[in-house]
Amino acid sequence: MAGDGQDQPIIRLRGIRNAFGPQVIHNNLDLDVRRGEIIALVGGSGTGKSVLLRTIVGLNRPAAGSIEVFGQDILHLPKLERRKVEQRWGILFQNGALFSSLTVAQNIQVPLKEHLGLKGPMLEEIAALKIALAGLPPEAGAKYPSELSGGMKKRAGLARALALDPEIVFLDEPTAGLDPIGAAAFDQLIADLRDTVGFTVFLVTHDLDTLATVCDRIAVLGEKRVMVVGTMNDMLEQTNPWIVEYFHGPRGRAALDAKARADARRPD
Amino acid sequence: MMHSPSAAASGLLSFVEDSGRLRARLQGRWVVANAEVLDRLLGAAPAPAGRELDIDFSAIEAIDTVGAWLVHRTAARWQQAGGQAVITGATGEHEVLLGQVAKADRPAPPAQKKLGRFAAMLDRLGRRTVYVWEDLLRLVSFLGETVTAMFRLAFLHPGRFRLTSTFAQAQAVGIDAMPIVGLISFLIGVVIAYQGVDQLAMFGAQIFVVNLVAVSVLRELGILLTAIVIAGRSGSSFTAQIGSMKLNEEVDAMRTLGLDPVEVLVVPRVVALMVMLPCLAFFADVMGLLGGMLMSWVTLGIPPDVFLNRLAAAVTWKTYFVGVVKAPFFAVTIAVVGCLEGLQVEGSSESVGRRTTQSVVKGIFLVIVLDAAFSIFFATIGI
């Protein structure tokens, strides 16, 4: 595919403007996401993190700006082409957004049926595989979303997002509402899957542990744009008061200390 | 959409015999989009029979979890059949991917035991029967709970009665329902008069159309139709409102704050409907008679004053009361069913939809059953 080379950013936002009535959320916002990285979007409440995510995946049309994903200008793609692009990404919504009338296995099968026309035992087999990859017990497949705990719903949502083996996975607050053990396991799961399946992860989070342990880069949203993008170490050197408060506050310190200890324990 | 099997076959997998070993050469894109073709190709592979299989990754273009899974599954099948499967030419990434899917290989959960068709039918019938019985018990017990709460509020803690909420509900179930109830009753009056004239003309007794309209609207149709419309309109909205609150854990929050959901949510709705349904029934009676009067004037030339004279002769206050006395009973039935269904919502938004349907169906059914019971009762005591 033209412009789909390895060095090109996989997502490229330029001059994005989002406004609801007189209230401007984003103005002239730029962001590049590199292929294969785990990038986190952070920012205070009301800075439009979720809006930006929804804008990239096409649930919200920006007032101005351009969005390129896989080198294609997705705001101006014909419908059919756009559907093809949509098959190459998966989205995990904040509460899983599983279809409540379908079992977990059926939820995972929806994109397989819709986009690939798969049927029969192959569907069951792929659903079982994704359920296992997402770290759910085998019995979870036959359960309905209302029978699952919050953490299991997130895993089931992830399994559905991964159904088509997407190249980009969007995660909206993946660890919110999980206990620390569950959250750490979920972080590890995302990092493992990135290493094996090789997708790019774009996540919105407030979880400093997630930021410290699995994210390659962090993008800070503020003043209606992306203020800084960089690694955790870059963040620590920033002087913007909000960023200092965020990363040097007691919680930020604790997360970094925990990571330092974990790194020290590791044999390599 | 998908490649045809034969075209894809040449591009994805080829088998080569090589001094007693079978070499499977994977080519092209081993991805989920080709899953069915790949599955068929692998399924058609020569039988293992204790031989060795080399799975050659060197020419593969792309592989995802599903492709890796299919490879893993094939290798496992050969090993089970007593053969050997060796993976060659895999890069480090391929190895990691294969390791990941190998970890995902685990026995499927035991399937639910399937019943035969007849047994399944009996099973369903039994479950339904038990469910209907339990449902009836729940309804009766909830009715008891509601009535107890109403007495408690009336005599012990009148201050806890929610007047504002009751008035808001009365507005929603009563005043706001007037246009639709009025229109339906008016049209029913028109229809009865029109059909009645046709039949009565055969006996030359057209004038009795007034009796027909008056008795049927006042005794039966006015209140029954109003109750059915309200069951559809307000019973469903009670269920949806309370059901959404249940999903949102608002009902649980009430309990933890020491508020009784029956007192706060159910009693205002029951009281509002008990007050408003008789009023609506009266309004429906008036509109039904108006419809009959208009139709009699248009088709028979009976002027309104003659109609009203005839009406006074045809019916007494008793006819009206026999109809309207049923209203509070219908009101309690509709409100209690609607609220109970709402409180039984659990789990998902789908449950709200199911319960709302149930609430309307049960509400209308019970209203009609109750109406039949009243008819028998009135006939027995000779009214």
Side-chain angles (χ1 to χ4, degrees):
Chain A
M1 214 167 289
D4 206 344
Q6 291 295 323
D7 46 344
Q8 285 272 343
I10 195 162
I11 302 174
R12 182 188 167 99
L13 308 179
R14 285 294 175 269
I16 297 293
R17 179 188 170 86
N18 274 310
F20 297 113
Q23 191 190 1
V24 178
I25 310 282
H26 304 130
N27 196 20
N28 211 8
L29 178 150
D30 296 345
L31 179 66
D32 283 343
V33 177
R34 298 176 194 151
R35 188 176 288 273
E37 74 174 342
I38 298 183
I39 186 167
L41 192 62
V42 302
S45 299
T47 49
K49 300 181 295 293
S50 294
V51 175
L52 187 60
L53 192 149
R54 292 171 63 87
T55 305
I56 301 174
V57 301
L59 292 170
N60 175 50
R61 204 176 168 85
S66 74
I67 304 172
E68 278 178 30
V69 183
F70 310 119
Q72 287 168 293
D73 176 5
I74 57 164
L75 288 178
H76 300 104
L77 275 186
K79 218 168 187 171
L80 213 68
E81 298 284 312
R82 227 200 106 81
R83 275 182 66 102
K84 279 200 187 129
V85 172
E86 280 168 0
Q87 289 180 36
R88 295 169 66 189
W89 69 49
I91 304 158
L92 169 62
F93 290 94
Q94 215 176 100
N95 293 313
L98 297 164
F99 303 122
S100 55
S101 56
L102 303 179
T103 63
V104 170
Q106 286 167 340
N107 261 287
I108 298 168
Q109 290 163 2
V110 168
L112 296 167
K113 278 189 203 162
E114 285 303 311
H115 288 311
L116 302 178
L118 292 183
K119 43 191 172 312
M122 199 66 226
L123 268 182
E124 300 290 333
E125 218 173 303
I126 296 179
L129 171 69
K130 301 293 170 180
I131 286 167
L133 285 177
L136 286 168
E139 307 82 54
K143 287 194 175 147
Y144 285 91
S146 55
E147 300 170 289
L148 301 179
S149 69
M152 285 172 87
K153 269 186 204 160
K154 293 226 157 149
R155 283 171 186 267
L158 183 67
R160 186 179 67 184
L162 296 180
L164 292 173
D165 269 293
E167 290 164 59
I168 309 176
V169 184
F170 294 96
L171 311 170
D172 194 358
E173 306 229 4
T175 53
L178 298 187
D179 66 87
I181 300 172
F186 203 89
D187 285 343
Q188 196 54 50
L189 175 69
I190 290 165
D192 281 350
L193 286 172
R194 191 271 305 260
D195 293 341
T196 51
V197 184
F199 47 51
T200 307
V201 181
F202 181 98
L203 56 91
V204 170
T205 192
H206 272 307
D207 187 333
L208 285 152
D209 292 304
T210 307
L211 294 175
T213 50
V214 299
C215 294
D216 299 317
R217 289 199 306 157
I218 298 164
V220 183
L221 212 54
E223 298 163 13
K224 303 184 181 23
R225 60 191 175 85
V226 175
M227 290 196 292
V228 245
V229 189
T231 61
M232 194 66 181
N233 288 332
D234 296 339
M235 292 302 129
L236 297 176
E237 288 160 16
Q238 293 295 320
T239 51
N240 175 299
W242 190 85
I243 301 177
V244 171
E245 178 85 34
Y246 194 97
F247 291 98
H248 291 275
R251 285 157 174 266
R253 276 273 148 238
L256 286 170
D257 290 350
K259 174 165 162 53
R261 277 199 300 278
D263 287 347
R265 265 203 308 276
R266 211 171 291 161
D268 53 358
Chain B
M1 205 179 107
M2 216 174 297
H3 308 289
S4 77
S6 57
S10 55
L12 291 171
L13 178 65
S14 55
F15 288 102
V16 187
E17 283 286 351
D18 184 9
S19 58
R21 296 171 73 93
L22 186 63
R23 201 157 74 92
R25 198 171 146 78
L26 317 188
Q27 291 151 300
R29 299 177 59 80
W30 278 60
V31 294
V32 60
N34 293 330
E36 274 183 342
V37 180
L38 292 170
D39 186 37
R40 211 167 323 128
L41 288 172
L42 289 168
R51 295 197 314 170
E52 283 192 31
L53 175 71
D54 283 347
I55 302 176
D56 183 3
F57 267 64
S58 56
I60 206 156
E61 196 182 303
I63 186 162
D64 64 8
T65 51
V66 172
W69 166 256
L70 290 168
V71 170
H72 167 80
R73 196 185 61 175
T74 309
R77 183 162 60 93
W78 276 67
Q79 261 143 14
Q80 255 172 27
Q84 282 287 323
V86 186
I87 299 206
T88 60
T91 64
E93 281 164 21
H94 294 156
E95 300 279 4
V96 179
L97 192 57
L98 285 168
Q100 196 80 26
V101 296
K103 264 195 284 174
D105 188 4
R106 47 191 188 181
Q112 294 265 323
K113 223 177 103 191
K114 279 253 172 77
L115 294 168
R117 191 178 293 173
F118 183 66
M121 201 183 75
L122 279 183
D123 181 67
R124 253 198 324 274
L125 183 69
R127 279 173 202 281
R128 287 301 300 174
T129 311
V130 172
Y131 178 79
V132 167
W133 174 241
E134 284 176 354
D135 214 37
L136 192 68
L137 288 184
R138 256 198 304 273
L139 185 65
V140 171
S141 108
F142 187 69
L143 178 67
E145 210 179 318
T146 309
V147 171
T148 318
M150 281 165 75
F151 275 102
R152 198 166 54 226
L153 288 177
F155 298 114
L156 295 178
H157 311 284
R160 290 216 309 248
F161 180 69
R162 319 234 149 208
L163 207 58
T164 321
S165 163
T166 309
F167 273 107
Q169 290 296 336
Q171 156 96 30
V173 302
I175 314 293
D176 295 352
M178 282 176 74
I180 183 71
V181 166
L183 180 66
I184 288 179
S185 307
F186 180 82
L187 291 177
I188 287 296
V190 168
V191 169
I192 292 173
Y194 190 72
Q195 296 294 327
V197 165
D198 256 10
Q199 299 299 315
L200 291 168
M202 290 192 253
F203 309 99
Q206 290 96 320
I207 192 66
F208 282 101
V209 76
V210 181
N211 298 48
L212 179 68
V213 170
V215 172
S216 52
V217 166
L218 292 185
R219 272 195 81 126
E220 282 295 332
L221 292 177
I223 173 61
L224 188 62
L225 280 171
T226 307
I228 288 174
V229 170
I230 294 303
R233 202 182 165 274
S234 304
S236 62
S237 87
F238 290 174
T239 309
Q241 287 162 358
I242 297 179
S244 316
M245 293 179 73
K246 187 88 196 296
L247 273 194
N248 204 14
E249 295 181 314
E250 288 171 54
V251 175
D252 297 337
M254 264 178 211
R255 286 210 176 91
T256 59
L257 292 172
L259 298 168
D260 178 7
V262 175
E263 275 184 19
V264 177
L265 297 175
V266 181
V267 171
R269 287 177 167 80
V270 174
V271 171
L273 205 55
M274 272 179 81
V275 174
M276 292 318 280
L277 197 61
C279 301
L280 280 173
F282 172 74
F283 178 62
D285 287 349
V286 171
M287 292 304 284
L289 291 178
L290 265 179
M293 188 160 78
L294 184 77
M295 207 58 201
S296 310
W297 197 11
V298 170
T299 56
L300 288 175
I302 302 175
D305 56 327
V306 177
F307 186 94
L308 289 177
N309 273 334
R310 192 70 222 158
L311 182 67
V315 297
T316 60
W317 281 108
K318 210 169 72 181
T319 320
Y320 165 71
F321 278 118
V322 162
V324 101
V325 78
K326 298 185 270 191
F329 294 92
F330 290 174
V332 172
T333 309
I334 294 167
V336 164
V337 167
C339 294
L340 174 61
E341 291 294 328
L343 286 171
Q344 280 177 271
V345 163
E346 53 189 17
S348 64
S349 45
E350 196 206 0
S351 158
V352 179
R354 203 171 45 235
R355 287 290 172 188
T356 307
T357 313
Q358 285 279 305
S359 146
V360 175
V361 172
K362 280 183 199 163
I364 292 178
F365 171 74
L366 288 174
V367 160
I368 292 177
V369 168
L370 212 57
D371 192 52
F374 269 113
S375 292
I376 295 169
F377 173 71
F378 289 142
T380 318
I381 63 168
I383 297 179

